[in-house]
Amino acid sequence: METILEITDLCVHFPGRGGAPVRAVDGVSLHIAPGETLGLVGESGCGKSTIANAAVGLLAPTSGRVVVAGTDIVGASPRLLREVRAQVQMVFQDPITSLNPRMTIGTAIGESLLVRGRAAGAALRARVGELLQEVGLRPDHADRYPHQFSGGQRQRVVIARALALRPALLVCDEAVSALDVSVRAQILNLLVALQARYGMAMLFVSHDLAVVRHVCDRVAVMYLGQLAEIAPRDALFASPRHPYTRALIAAVPDPDPAVQRARVSVPLVGEIPSPANPPPGCRFHTRCPVAVARCAVDVPALRSVGAAMVACHLA
Amino acid sequence: MIALSVRDLSLAIGRTNIVDAISFDVAPGEVLALVGESGCGKSVTAQAIMRLLPAAIRQTGGEITLGATSLSNLPARAMRDLRGRQIAMIFQEPQSALDPLATVGNQIAEALRQPLAKVRAEVRQMLVEVGISDPDRRIDQHPFELSGGMCQRVMIAIALIARPAVLIADEPTTALDVTIQAQILALLRRLAAERQTAVVLITHDMGVVADIADRVAVMYAGRVAETGPTAAVFATPAHPYTALLLASIPRLSDVPKSALAVIDGQVPQPADYGAGCRFAGRCPRADRRCVAETPALRPVADGRLVACFHPVGG
């Protein structure tokens, strides 16, 4: 099968306080087909942003393989990495910290085209103007600085910059989380439209399940550094197999009081354990409403259940 | 009976008006949500009620009444005595609102103005009520030893132990994960009902409003656009802003990848507020009158008030 991103047995451990490493990502495998959008959801500390960073080569994994457009980027030379990065671009949560305050946005958007020798002079300026129009800004905005834009406009600038090299994969890490509701809708519509136009694949990392459901084709649910479940969108939301997926969906408040108050959901008890000291067996067993004795001992392997892959003994 | 009444509250930075004559009441045991996007004035309204406004912001008009006490002209000392006893507040980031050097027990006891040794049983009981497991150990721990969700429970314990009539909750679950948010919202709802606390909940999240608010006031650019019972406002929003805001939210029930409703443009800056309706520049229903005149809040169906010359469905 052709993939644009293939992650195999990825482990990312960080040095922790008092010796025990923080196992931010612990044995995750996933892939993205060209043109596909994979959502990566989970709560704080589940490792979703770490996977996003590893996918673009921003951090070196402890072990495992990350293959982007056919090239293994783990341990790749800076030169090879530079070539691969033309294929994969990233959009972060906070656009103001992603943009150089002293660089006009036209320079920022055109920089990758210039340094790679793809365009210069009048041609570069024309291309930057096109990119600005594609994200809903005007070509004459090119001479302005980031502080002259609103938060939503800045995120458009960051998206234009990411699109400049026509990447095959766009990694979005909480790309709409810092935006107000009305602006978030504008950016989500833009991402969906751009993907339809250019057919790029997306890795869409978010803590917001409703947003993920809106933009993604498949969804991976992470808990404490591991995959709990990965399934096509409709299967995941219609019949979640993992108890954690069910709890996560049930915890999203529906913005309709009639629906929300008719729900009989029991909130999950307990806190998320530390990834430096994850529980034995299934990592979710300490909060799982249906756990049995086995769950505290045996690590559940990811296995196929219907359309989904689920890591649960009881699924 | 009214626990908290805000009448025509106006706030300004220098000569620039940022909150314009907003009014609302909250009854004991009732949860009122003030909802809106960044810059709509919801948080400064909360600060004005607590009389904790930053030095640059002045109250230029209006009256805030707590029970029978007018807060607006209360001496600073008398106001200080009310805080924590009659009116309390919890914030978005519990870790930064707690004292890192004091134990959980000492911080809760402080709200009673008593040494912990004297009120230890009461403090322990409060920890149980806010759902902290292992209270005998937690009572002597410091905030850094607790998770974000637990710190918010401690904040709620500090706020409620003296049984204030009014609780102001400013984005209390925004920094929390969704499963923890569900726990904290359930806790707030239960405690407000049991203790008959009037709650003013400040949030940008319509899902949170739908979950726990009895009534809602939708704010836009320093004014109340629409207010009324939550169910009615959500079912048939009358202000075009409310309607568009609700339509722009991705829901678990919508068609994936379908175009979400958008509100063109962006929220105006206070310096750019015009003479008329502040939403007029982005409103699909606006006409010349909307640009020239400020619409007053007026009653529509289902106990609602809306500030619009051309309300949806009206």
Side-chain angles (χ1 to χ4, degrees):
Chain A
M1 184 177 55
E2 199 195 348
T3 59
I4 184 65
L5 175 70
E6 178 109 42
I7 288 175
T8 313
D9 285 331
L10 183 73
C11 289
V12 184
H13 297 175
F14 297 109
R17 266 192 309 200
V22 175
R23 305 154 84 93
V25 176
D26 219 12
V28 169
S29 299
L30 49 83
H31 64 85
I32 302 179
E36 184 188 40
T37 301
L38 176 71
L40 200 50
V41 297
E43 298 179 279
S44 318
C46 74
K48 55 192 191 298
S49 290
T50 305
I51 289 185
N53 287 327
V56 296
L58 281 179
L59 60 80
T62 310
S63 63
R65 273 159 53 88
V66 178
V67 179
V68 176
T71 308
D72 190 344
I73 62 168
V74 177
S77 66
R79 209 180 129 182
L80 190 59
L81 208 52
R82 203 177 95 100
E83 267 173 45
V84 173
R85 284 212 178 112
Q87 297 282 325
V88 46
Q89 292 287 309
M90 191 152 177
V91 175
F92 296 92
Q93 175 168 349
D94 186 1
I96 192 73
T97 58
S98 299
L99 292 165
N100 183 338
R102 299 174 54 141
M103 193 186 264
T104 65
I105 61 138
T107 311
I109 292 169
E111 193 179 25
S112 60
L113 293 165
L114 188 69
V115 297
R116 283 167 195 271
R118 302 239 187 130
L124 178 65
R125 186 149 179 96
R127 182 78 193 99
V128 167
E130 280 170 30
L131 284 161
L132 283 167
Q133 279 177 313
E134 280 178 34
V135 298
L137 297 171
R138 296 196 312 266
D140 64 281
H141 282 143
D143 298 320
R144 297 192 191 172
Y145 289 89
H147 76 264
Q148 294 171 283
F149 295 93
S150 67
Q153 288 175 320
R154 282 185 208 124
Q155 199 61 302
R156 290 176 192 268
V157 171
V158 171
I159 292 169
R161 184 178 60 179
L163 291 177
L165 293 167
R166 289 269 170 271
L169 174 67
L170 185 65
V171 176
C172 296
D173 188 2
E174 300 280 8
V176 297
S177 303
L179 305 175
D180 269 318
V181 178
S182 68
V183 178
R184 184 179 66 184
Q186 296 171 2
I187 299 296
L188 286 174
N189 284 349
L190 176 67
L191 284 172
V192 169
L194 288 171
Q195 190 184 24
R197 195 180 315 156
Y198 299 111
M200 65 195 165
M202 283 205 288
L203 176 61
F204 193 88
V205 177
S206 176
H207 69 285
D208 187 328
L209 266 84
V211 166
V212 162
R213 182 179 169 279
H214 191 82
V215 299
C216 297
D217 304 307
R218 278 192 307 136
V219 180
V221 179
M222 289 190 69
Y223 188 77
L224 271 184
Q226 296 182 332
L227 286 181
E229 178 165 3
I230 181 165
R233 173 195 62 227
D234 293 343
L236 189 105
F237 284 94
S239 51
R241 309 266 178 181
H242 197 288
Y244 179 61
T245 313
R246 288 201 290 270
L248 211 51
I249 293 172
V252 180
D254 193 295
D256 180 344
V259 175
Q260 177 61 19
R261 296 187 191 190
R263 288 164 111 185
V264 273
S265 63
V266 183
L268 270 188
V269 294
E271 309 278 335
I272 304 164
S274 159
N277 184 22
C282 172
R283 292 184 177 185
F284 184 57
H285 85 265
T286 55
R287 300 174 76 200
C288 183
V290 295
V292 295
R294 184 186 174 196
C295 303
V297 186
D298 289 348
V299 177
L302 204 61
R303 63 193 170 85
S304 198
V305 181
M309 298 284 286
V310 189
C312 176
H313 297 306
L314 306 171
Chain B
M1 202 185 120
I2 301 296
L4 176 74
S5 166
V6 172
R7 281 284 151 271
D8 297 323
L9 177 72
S10 292
L11 303 171
I13 300 177
R15 285 165 177 267
T16 311
N17 166 269
I18 53 169
V19 166
D20 187 25
I22 66 165
S23 301
F24 54 83
D25 297 322
V26 204
E30 185 182 48
V31 179
L32 170 77
L34 293 187
V35 66
E37 300 182 275
S38 315
C40 73
K42 55 192 191 298
S43 284
V44 285
T45 298
Q47 289 166 352
I49 295 168
M50 294 298 289
R51 294 256 308 265
L52 292 173
L53 283 171
I57 302 179
R58 282 178 309 118
Q59 183 175 334
T60 50
E63 181 79 28
I64 298 163
T65 316
L66 181 68
T69 313
S70 168
L71 301 188
S72 303
N73 296 310
L74 210 60
R77 195 191 164 90
M79 186 65 213
R80 207 172 60 203
D81 285 341
L82 285 184
R83 285 192 208 109
R85 291 196 175 126
Q86 291 294 315
I87 184 164
M89 184 159 178
I90 57 175
F91 300 89
Q92 177 171 344
E93 280 188 43
Q95 265 114 338
S96 58
L98 293 170
D99 181 345
L101 298 177
T103 64
V104 163
N106 277 321
Q107 295 188 59
I108 300 173
E110 194 181 8
L112 291 172
R113 275 90 158 170
Q114 297 282 349
L116 178 60
K118 224 170 162 181
V119 291
R120 195 172 175 93
E122 201 178 332
V123 169
R124 185 191 179 283
Q125 179 55 31
M126 195 67 217
L127 285 174
V128 173
E129 277 194 49
V130 297
I132 289 197
S133 54
D134 204 359
D136 293 310
R137 185 164 64 97
R138 297 296 183 195
I139 198 169
D140 295 315
Q141 287 189 320
H142 289 83
F144 76 90
E145 295 171 277
L146 309 182
S147 68
M150 262 192 279
C151 284
Q152 195 58 286
R153 289 174 192 273
V154 170
M155 281 293 301
I156 293 170
I158 293 171
L160 294 186
I161 192 161
R163 295 195 169 266
V166 176
L167 174 70
I168 314 276
D170 188 0
E171 302 270 8
T173 59
T174 304
L176 304 177
D177 278 314
V178 45
T179 60
I180 308 298
Q181 166 172 285
Q183 296 172 359
I184 298 292
L185 291 177
L187 175 69
L188 280 175
R189 200 182 318 134
R190 176 171 64 77
L191 290 177
E194 280 175 10
R195 300 170 159 245
Q196 285 297 294
T197 313
V199 178
V200 179
L201 175 78
I202 291 157
T203 181
H204 69 282
D205 187 333
M206 287 294 195
V208 170
V209 177
D211 191 37
I212 79 163
D214 300 303
R215 285 189 305 120
V216 57
V218 181
M219 293 187 64
Y220 185 81
R223 289 181 182 154
V224 173
E226 175 167 11
T227 181
T230 306
V233 171
F234 277 64
T236 53
H239 199 289
Y241 175 64
T242 318
L244 282 168
L245 198 60
L246 284 169
S248 71
I249 304 170
R251 295 161 191 251
L252 291 178
S253 54
D254 69 8
V255 178
K257 306 203 183 194
S258 59
L260 298 163
V262 297
I263 305 174
D264 288 330
Q266 61 212 46
V267 180
Q269 295 296 309
D272 303 330
Y273 291 159
C277 172
R278 290 175 179 174
F279 188 58
R282 304 174 76 191
C283 183
R285 301 168 83 91
D287 61 13
R288 265 186 302 182
R289 186 180 178 200
C290 303
V291 180
E293 270 179 66
T294 297
L297 274 172
R298 59 189 176 84
V300 287
D302 308 320
R304 264 181 296 164
L305 298 171
V306 61
C308 180
F309 295 124
H310 311 290
V312 181

